[in-house]
Amino acid sequence: MAEEAILGYLEKNEEISDSGKFAEEKGISHDEIVNVIKSLNGFRLVDAEDIKRERWGLTKEGDKYAGAGSPEVQLFLAIPPEGITREELQKKLDPSIFKIGCQQAIKNKWIEMGKSQVSRKVQHVDDRVRDLLMQIQNGEAVNAEDVDDLKRRKLITPLIWKGYSVKKGPKYAPKRKKVATDLTRENLLRGDWRELEFKEYNFLAKGQPTEGGCLHPLLKVRRQMQMIFLQMGFEEMPTNNFVESSFWNFDALFQPQQHPARDSHDTFFLKEPSTTNKLPEDYVERVKGVHESGGYGSRGYGYVWKREEANKNLLRTHTTAVSSRMLYALAQDFAPKKYYSIDRVFRNEAVDRTHLAEFHQIEGLICDRGLTLGHLIGVLQDFFSRLGMSKLKFKPAYNPYTEPSMEIFSYHEGLEKWVEIGNSGMFRPEMLLPMGLPQDVQVIAWGLSLERPTMILYGIDNIRDLFGHKVDLGLIKRNPLCRIGL
């Protein structure tokens, strides 16, 4: 019916200037008219142009005041000529009406608020706000100053009406010809295929979306990282302990107990179980000694080491806690090893574009005789070049458990700046020798987050778009297959 009305009208007229008025004249729903116009426009039977009209409508609050009156007038009328106590007035009105009404009535100089008494300053007021809201509700014009005032009070909101103006298109016909979408056996047998008009094939139309699982970018890059480590001859460390003791997480790494990183504002400590009672006692005593008075060429930190601090349980802040356990076990029967791990760690820190409270850490270490800083730099360049990240810089840094230490930077093409992607260094003798490792053994190690390289490789500049509860799941389906140079 709507299609016949539109095409029939255009057969005798040049244009439908307003689809809304046309729908009203023909007694047809405007939504139905709009749907038909879009269809006809798609087949080029008509040419349609958008029409937009803006007007103001009442918000839910504005609609309420249009019926019951503005809060300031409701409050004014609730005050008797002789005045009323503040408490009594509050009982007579809704809390929101009382609060807004007081503000506006005082601003209009209608009332006087004493310490205990509220009284009128005028005897009669006009409800101009309600009158303006009624005008807008009835579609009448209101001056710009009054509109701004109502908009500021969030009593009105813009409403946009959308419609079309319509003219004949290049393929106009008084009646749409039905086009065939398929050539059937019957068409061929009857011979009517010669007269059939076929619908044009749309090569740009998208096919039916495929149903199937999609890998998250983090999982793709994680797998690539694992393959790189395995190709370089590394073994994976067990990382299924999210809960760790402060001893393995901090003390075994020669990190002093007064270090700021061990404060509760940087670390998630457990309430239950709050402490551990399973630590190797002979090793604990050696760690205590090196912290308090040094040894192995070190002066130590010169403080009283407390066992109760070492016993505290926490969510591990780095996977180096796993490395300390593995190195201690390796010291009992030493052989050169290459270890790696990729798993979650937890930091009690503010969330921003580049930091999360929960993220993934990648760690690699090599334990052997005769290792130097040159070996570490060479291994890092080899490792990151396999990731396709050849632009590297190294900066001297400080870590309690490595000396020398280096921060690793890579150039981010999207951000057009150098971004810190990891930390590295050679483990200190004060950490290694108490474990029982031979004196001529060195350990080079590095750590980085999984999220930073993924952001660089996928051109993502906000870590919250990649990992966490705010991630758009569509990203997982849309992201391209990440090919990392191996």
Side-chain angles (χ1 to χ4, degrees):
M1 182 179 176
E3 184 172 313
E4 292 172 4
I6 293 168
L7 294 175
Y9 185 87
L10 289 175
E11 186 178 8
K12 300 175 182 178
N13 300 276
E14 288 294 320
E15 180 183 19
I16 297 173
S17 59
D18 188 317
S19 60
K21 292 179 181 176
F22 181 79
E24 192 176 335
E25 290 170 5
K26 299 296 182 180
I28 303 172
S29 160
H30 185 245
D31 288 341
E32 187 179 349
I33 290 288
V34 165
N35 288 336
V36 170
I37 288 172
K38 288 179 179 178
S39 175
L40 294 172
N41 185 63
F43 287 99
R44 304 307 312 278
L45 272 76
V46 302
D47 287 334
E49 290 187 8
D50 294 342
I51 298 174
K52 290 183 180 180
R53 284 200 291 270
E54 289 189 9
R55 65 182 181 86
W56 292 100
L58 305 189
T59 62
K60 191 174 180 181
E61 187 179 1
D63 191 52
K64 184 170 69 173
Y65 297 162
S70 64
E72 52 266 41
V73 170
Q74 290 186 53
L75 181 124
F76 181 85
L77 296 176
I79 302 171
E82 66 276 10
I84 189 172
T85 65
R86 189 186 184 98
E87 290 75 18
E88 288 297 320
L89 182 59
Q90 280 181 293
K91 290 177 183 177
K92 294 173 73 173
L93 297 168
D94 182 86
S96 64
I97 297 293
F98 177 79
K99 182 181 177 181
I100 298 169
C102 283
Q103 292 171 352
Q104 296 298 326
I106 292 170
K107 180 182 175 182
N108 295 339
K109 299 181 180 179
W110 292 351
I111 64 171
E112 185 173 346
M113 297 284 289
K115 288 185 178 180
S116 59
Q117 191 81 358
V118 183
S119 58
R120 296 182 178 183
K121 293 180 76 172
V122 295
Q123 295 307 310
H124 175 74
V125 295
D126 293 321
D127 199 341
R128 179 167 169 71
V129 170
R130 183 186 181 188
D131 293 341
L132 291 170
L133 292 173
M134 293 292 290
Q135 283 179 246
I136 288 172
Q137 199 172 46
N138 295 331
E140 299 173 23
V142 176
N143 68 57
E145 191 177 331
D146 290 328
V147 166
D148 287 341
D149 187 46
L150 294 174
K151 189 165 61 169
R152 207 163 27 245
R153 291 182 64 173
K154 298 181 179 178
L155 301 180
I156 58 174
T157 185
L159 301 175
I160 299 175
W161 179 88
K162 293 182 180 180
Y164 293 96
S165 65
V166 185
K167 293 181 180 179
K168 293 177 182 177
K171 295 184 179 180
Y172 171 79
K175 187 173 182 181
R176 193 196 312 221
K177 188 177 180 181
K178 189 174 182 180
V179 293
T181 56
D182 292 302
L183 181 63
T184 66
R185 179 174 179 273
E186 288 73 20
N187 297 143
L188 295 171
L189 290 173
R190 289 194 302 262
D192 60 4
W193 59 270
R194 296 179 181 87
E195 286 77 36
L196 285 177
E197 185 177 332
F198 289 94
K199 182 181 177 182
E200 291 182 9
Y201 195 88
N202 184 2
F203 289 94
L204 299 178
K206 293 183 178 180
Q208 190 73 14
T210 57
E211 295 296 330
C214 299
L215 287 176
H216 192 283
L218 279 174
L219 293 178
K220 293 182 182 180
V221 177
R222 178 192 176 114
R223 180 59 179 162
Q224 294 285 359
M225 294 283 190
Q226 287 176 326
M227 293 305 297
I228 289 170
F229 276 117
L230 293 173
Q231 288 165 8
M232 294 176 70
F234 284 73
E235 300 175 36
E236 187 168 9
M237 294 186 280
T239 55
N240 54 350
N241 265 22
F242 285 2
V243 175
E244 191 55 272
S245 69
S246 292
F247 177 79
W248 291 111
N249 197 82
F250 294 124
D251 295 275
L253 299 175
F254 196 57
Q255 191 157 332
Q257 293 186 336
Q258 68 270 27
H259 195 282
R262 298 179 69 154
D263 292 342
S264 59
H265 63 266
D266 286 323
T267 305
F268 292 108
F269 286 97
L270 267 65
K271 286 186 177 179
E272 186 65 35
S274 60
T275 59
T276 184
N277 55 6
K278 294 180 180 179
L279 294 174
E281 295 300 328
D282 57 337
Y283 178 43
V284 170
E285 285 302 313
R286 291 197 296 273
V287 169
K288 175 184 177 182
V290 80
H291 275 251
E292 290 184 339
S293 53
Y296 315 102
S298 170
R299 293 183 298 177
Y301 291 113
Y303 71 98
V304 178
W305 187 87
K306 296 178 181 177
R307 177 64 182 267
E308 55 268 25
E309 285 294 322
N311 287 346
K312 288 181 179 177
N313 284 333
L314 47 80
L315 294 179
R316 66 181 180 214
T317 61
H318 49 193
T319 50
T320 317
V322 180
S323 301
S324 63
R325 284 180 176 271
M326 293 299 292
L327 288 171
Y328 174 72
L330 186 61
Q332 313 314 308
D333 185 16
F334 176 74
K337 287 287 184 179
K338 293 180 179 180
Y339 288 128
Y340 83 93
S341 65
I342 307 173
D343 213 332
R344 293 194 187 189
V345 296
F346 309 86
R347 305 268 177 93
N348 189 8
E349 59 186 1
V351 174
D352 59 28
R353 293 174 69 85
T354 56
H355 294 86
L356 290 175
E358 175 184 355
F359 58 96
H360 296 79
Q361 185 173 333
I362 301 165
E363 180 148 349
L365 67 89
I366 301 175
C367 182
D368 204 347
R369 292 180 168 89
L371 295 175
T372 66
L373 188 65
H375 289 100
L376 175 60
I377 293 173
V379 169
L380 291 175
Q381 287 175 334
D382 182 19
F383 176 80
F384 285 103
S385 68
R386 292 169 184 255
L387 279 169
M389 297 161 66
S390 56
K391 294 182 181 179
L392 295 182
K393 280 185 179 180
F394 303 100
K395 177 184 173 184
Y398 167 76
N399 293 316
Y401 45 90
T402 59
E403 179 59 38
S405 308
M406 299 185 303
E407 290 174 346
I408 312 162
F409 290 80
S410 175
Y411 189 75
H412 192 305
E413 299 292 348
L415 296 176
E416 296 184 349
K417 66 177 183 179
W418 291 91
V419 178
E420 183 187 348
I421 56 170
N423 213 326
S424 65
M426 300 185 67
F427 284 142
R428 300 175 69 105
E430 298 96 319
M431 172 191 162
L432 299 178
L433 297 180
M435 293 177 172
L437 286 166
Q439 291 194 6
D440 59 345
V441 167
Q442 291 82 34
V443 178
I444 57 174
W446 68 98
L448 59 147
S449 80
L450 179 63
E451 285 76 6
R452 291 281 178 89
T454 307
M455 289 169 68
I456 293 172
L457 292 165
Y458 279 82
I460 298 170
D461 64 359
N462 191 330
I463 194 169
R464 290 168 289 194
D465 294 335
L466 179 68
F467 184 60
H469 66 285
K470 291 187 176 181
V471 169
D472 174 15
L473 294 179
L475 165 74
I476 303 170
K477 293 184 177 181
R478 293 192 304 268
N479 75 78
L481 179 66
C482 182
R483 297 187 180 278
I484 301 173
L486 298 177

